[in-house]
Amino acid sequence: MDFRHEWKHEISPLDLPVLRQRLRAVAQADRHAAGGTYQIRSLYFDTPSDRALREKRNGVSRREKFRIRCYNGDTSVIHLEKKSRIGGLGNKQSAGLSAGEVSALLGGDLSWMPDSGRPLVQELYSKMQTELLRPRTIVDYTREPYVYPAGHVRITLDYDIRTGMNCTDLLNPGITIPAGDAPIILEVKWDAFLPSIIRDAIQLEGRRASSFSKYAQCRIYG
């Protein structure tokens, strides 16, 4: 399992145009972002005791979370993802899902999962049985992504974070509301090294690495 370095910074609306200008000067716009941004919708899973939420809030170093994700409202391409974290390192595993499979899961039909032929789907099924993992809430936001080839660097600016509160209907457009006074999030991910040109570009006075969680932010209403 390969892990990548990850930084997160909470920034203000005034920081956004500054970073945007710097990143456009040194990095490349992600080719997947038509018009410079795309919309992300994720459905997060948690246990009845909210273990994933508690581990995040308590700063547990080694943790994992499952989510189902789609982009720009396109439910023809849906991913099941498992995000693992050890300290400042992160790893993401992914498997494809169909809209029909997501609909079945949300309706409580898990019978298709054990024989799906996808190890990650089978792992989620096992944990839904043994740990009672269940869909918990939807998280929507806008992502503005940049890439830099050296170091396999990816920089993203995430904003307009919205919560589905207790709604788990991933396939239903709309249904989310602003997640309180959520900040803008700068995320930086890289492999072996972070080039100095990127390190310099993202420096903002008074901003420090944080452990902000969009999922935790979207649980502010319960």
Side-chain angles (χ1 to χ4, degrees):
M1 184 182 296
D2 295 327
F3 282 80
R4 281 161 55 81
H5 298 271
E6 296 186 3
W7 277 354
K8 289 185 182 181
H9 299 260
E10 298 181 32
I11 65 174
S12 74
L14 295 178
D15 295 327
L16 183 59
V18 174
L19 281 173
R20 184 180 286 139
Q21 182 177 27
R22 292 179 186 174
L23 290 170
R24 287 176 177 174
V26 301
Q28 304 168 9
D30 189 319
R31 61 184 179 85
H32 294 104
T37 65
Y38 52 79
Q39 305 299 313
I40 295 179
R41 167 166 286 193
S42 299
L43 172 60
Y44 283 84
F45 289 71
D46 213 333
T47 65
S49 63
D50 288 332
R51 185 183 64 203
L53 180 62
R54 287 187 291 103
E55 288 182 348
K56 177 61 180 180
R57 287 177 171 170
N58 294 336
V60 175
S61 175
R62 185 184 293 264
R63 58 186 186 272
E64 67 180 32
K65 59 188 176 188
F66 283 85
R67 65 192 179 203
I68 298 175
R69 174 169 286 189
C70 62
Y71 299 87
N72 293 325
D74 181 6
T75 56
S76 68
V77 180
I78 305 175
H79 301 280
L80 169 66
E81 297 179 347
K82 175 186 175 183
K83 188 72 181 291
S84 303
R85 192 171 182 90
I86 302 176
L89 300 174
N91 169 269
K92 184 172 71 176
Q93 299 170 263
S94 180
L97 294 176
S98 70
E101 289 170 338
V102 173
S103 181
L105 188 155
L106 295 178
D109 177 10
L110 312 183
S111 61
W112 58 276
M113 299 177 72
D115 299 321
S116 66
R118 285 157 284 174
L120 191 60
V121 173
Q122 293 165 333
E123 181 181 352
L124 175 61
Y125 172 78
S126 175
K127 291 184 176 179
M128 290 182 77
Q129 297 300 314
T130 60
E131 301 176 14
L132 302 182
L133 273 183
R134 290 294 184 272
R136 192 63 181 85
T137 195
I138 289 171
V139 176
D140 284 345
Y141 58 95
T142 299
R143 168 159 287 178
E144 184 176 328
Y146 299 86
V147 295
Y148 191 82
H152 191 204
V153 180
R154 182 173 175 81
I155 311 106
T156 56
L157 300 166
D158 296 339
Y159 44 85
D160 190 22
I161 301 172
R162 301 175 64 86
T163 175
M165 296 189 289
N166 294 322
C167 180
T168 61
D169 189 358
L170 182 84
L171 306 178
N172 185 0
I175 70 174
T176 57
I177 64 172
D181 189 20
I184 299 167
I185 303 301
L186 163 68
E187 292 190 13
V188 187
K189 300 177 183 178
W190 72 96
D191 286 346
F193 69 99
L194 181 63
S196 59
I197 191 171
I198 297 298
R199 191 183 297 268
D200 292 343
I202 64 173
Q203 290 302 312
L204 293 168
E205 186 176 353
R207 302 289 184 259
R208 298 291 184 269
S210 73
S211 59
F212 182 86
S213 164
K214 300 181 190 73
Y215 170 59
Q217 179 69 30
C218 287
R219 291 290 308 276
I220 60 172
Y221 301 122

